[in-house]
Amino acid sequence: TGAISSLQRQMEIQESEIRRIRSEKQKLQKMLREQEVQLQAVSDKFCSLTEEQRQEEVTVMMEEENRSLKQVVTEQESQLAEQDKLISELQETISQLRAEVVSTRLQLLEQKQAQKEIQSQAEALQHKELQTRVALERISSKFERYRNKIIQAAFITEGSQDPPAELTDDEVLEAMQKIINERVEFQQMQKLKGSK
């Protein structure tokens, strides 16, 4: 928004400059018209003189007036050409500034859209994280119950010793393996007795 405001201020300055130049151009055009009126007045004045006087006066005055007017016209045409060129350049600059404003606004819209998408993804990830935590707590709870059952099966039997206060997972696994081995041996003994 700061960039857009800056560009808009530049556009306003350029447009103000164009208005100033156009005003100067109108003044120059008015001066040209005034010069033409003066020239017409001089021409009318000489029309009332005698033919000889008219020719002499007209020749001298017209030559001087023509030189003066040609110089004025040349200067004013040069100024007008410069002002037209400057107006064209300023209008081109304004067009570029307007294009930059449009581009900046599009970028802002894209950034807002991207921000919304990122926010939506973040919310989805938070939801997924919450679901994962809940699932992890359930698995941890099941694992702990399963571990306690193994400990009970391994240590809470006749003739077994009480387990230490804290059992590592390796100790629990070893106790479970011992139970399995004992059951296998017992089953083998049963089969041997049964066959006899």
Side-chain angles (χ1 to χ4, degrees):
T1 55
I4 290 174
S5 298
S6 176
L7 290 171
Q8 287 175 338
R9 279 197 299 274
Q10 290 181 29
M11 284 171 54
E12 290 171 0
I13 291 169
Q14 299 290 345
E15 288 172 348
S16 174
E17 185 69 12
I18 287 175
R19 287 193 295 273
R20 185 185 67 78
I21 290 170
R22 283 180 176 159
S23 175
E24 289 180 2
K25 182 178 177 181
Q26 289 174 355
K27 288 179 183 177
L28 287 171
Q29 289 172 338
K30 184 178 178 183
M31 287 174 64
L32 276 174
R33 287 193 295 272
E34 289 173 356
Q35 292 287 339
E36 288 173 358
V37 169
Q38 289 177 5
L39 184 59
Q40 185 64 41
V42 169
S43 178
D44 293 342
K45 176 184 175 184
F46 286 118
C47 285
S48 63
L49 297 174
T50 63
E51 189 64 29
E52 289 182 8
Q53 289 175 332
R54 187 183 307 162
Q55 288 179 354
E56 290 176 5
E57 291 289 335
V58 165
T59 302
V60 174
M61 292 295 291
M62 289 299 287
E63 285 177 357
E64 291 179 0
E65 191 69 24
N66 280 340
R67 282 195 297 271
S68 176
L69 286 173
K70 282 179 181 177
Q71 184 178 357
V72 170
V73 168
T74 302
E75 290 175 357
Q76 290 179 347
E77 285 177 346
S78 175
Q79 290 180 2
L80 286 173
E82 289 177 1
Q83 289 176 349
D84 286 339
K85 182 181 177 183
L86 184 56
I87 286 171
S88 177
E89 290 173 354
L90 289 172
Q91 286 176 336
E92 185 179 349
T93 302
I94 287 172
S95 297
Q96 291 175 352
L97 290 172
R98 283 177 177 160
E100 288 179 18
V101 168
V102 171
S103 176
T104 304
R105 284 178 176 166
L106 286 174
Q107 288 177 356
L108 285 173
L109 287 173
E110 288 173 359
Q111 288 175 356
K112 285 181 180 178
Q113 185 64 30
Q115 188 176 0
K116 285 181 181 178
E117 290 177 2
I118 291 170
Q119 183 68 26
S120 176
Q121 290 175 359
E123 290 173 358
L125 285 172
Q126 287 176 349
H127 183 66
K128 192 170 184 181
E129 181 188 5
L130 181 61
Q131 289 179 331
T132 305
R133 283 183 180 177
V134 170
L136 183 60
E137 286 176 3
R138 288 177 183 171
I139 291 169
S140 298
S141 177
K142 285 182 180 179
F143 175 75
E144 193 60 34
R145 287 197 300 271
Y146 181 63
R147 191 175 186 273
N148 289 334
K149 286 181 181 179
I150 292 172
I151 292 171
Q152 288 176 2
F155 295 100
I156 305 177
T157 56
E158 268 188 57
S160 64
Q161 297 179 351
D162 291 335
E166 281 291 332
L167 288 174
T168 65
D169 290 340
D170 288 338
E171 288 172 338
V172 173
L173 187 60
E174 185 180 344
M176 184 177 174
Q177 189 64 48
K178 183 178 177 183
I179 293 171
I180 292 169
N181 291 339
E182 288 175 354
R183 286 186 178 180
V184 170
E185 289 175 6
F186 179 73
Q187 287 174 357
Q188 288 175 351
M189 287 174 63
Q190 290 289 93
K191 285 180 182 178
L192 289 173
K193 286 182 180 180
S195 64
K196 290 181 181 178

